Amino acid sequence: MSRMKKISGFVLLFSAFCCSYASETLADVATHQALTLYGNATLSGLCRHLGINRQMVCRLSDIPDVSLAFNDAAPLHIEVRTPTCEGNSVLDGEWPYNLNVAAGQPETVCNVEIYKNYVERLNAQSEIMGCEDSFQDAFFLNRIGARAAYIYIQQCKLNADSAPTVAE
């Protein structure tokens, strides 16, 4: 076999591997669903702190530091930080009730069981209010500040095109 055919074969094999890996690791939860989850989790107290940095962050635990996070470049994932360890696990599925650890992602990060300790609680969080209303009420209840409420409500509006309606 010629050198060029070997290189072409390797490139095809490598690109097939990359594409299959990317489809596994870039699993995603719809942005509107993630935002609505954040709003409802803030109202219920499941989300202890709602922040905006480089990512939209919902703090789930202080010790260890466990947060739910996403942005335009990173899918919804759970981050775990301890003094000696840091890692994350991408989530997949639909919220409410059907989130899961994405295929190929770790179910335990820094000795924290992601599914049992956190995904189950996220799935148990019911949708009591729609995206915008949940952040507005969280602001009225002093669970988030005006700036965070405004930013998250704007994100709800920007990502409303795929928004399911809340059953009343």
Side-chain angles (χ1 to χ4, degrees), residues 95-131:
W95 183 82
Y97 314 120
N98 292 312
L99 291 177
N100 221 325
V101 174
Q105 291 294 296
E107 295 196 17
T108 301
V109 176
C110 302
N111 295 319
V112 173
E113 291 184 45
I114 299 299
Y115 189 86
K116 183 178 179 185
N117 292 333
Y118 294 99
V119 176
E120 284 182 353
R121 289 196 294 176
L122 295 169
N123 280 330
Q125 174 66 60
S126 59
E127 184 176 359
I128 49 178
M129 295 193 134
C131 194

Side-chain angles (χ1 to χ4, degrees), residues 10-56:
F10 175 75
V11 169
L12 285 173
L13 183 62
F14 181 75
S15 56
F17 169 76
C18 289
C19 291
S20 70
Y21 179 75
S23 68
E24 276 188 14
T25 59
L26 296 179
D28 211 356
V29 174
T31 300
H32 191 82
Q33 289 176 13
L35 289 165
T36 306
L37 168 59
Y38 275 36
N40 283 268
T42 301
L43 280 174
S44 73
L46 177 61
C47 181
R48 297 172 177 232
H49 173 75
L50 192 64
I52 306 146
N53 198 348
R54 293 177 310 233
Q55 299 187 79
M56 305 282 188

Side-chain angles (χ1 to χ4, degrees), residues 63-94:
I63 300 174
D65 178 357
V66 179
S67 297
L68 191 60
F70 75 96
N71 64 19
D72 289 339
L76 186 65
H77 61 282
I78 294 180
E79 298 176 341
V80 179
R81 290 187 180 94
T82 70
T84 59
C85 181
E86 185 173 322
N88 68 65
S89 186
V90 174
L91 302 183
D92 195 6
E94 295 182 2

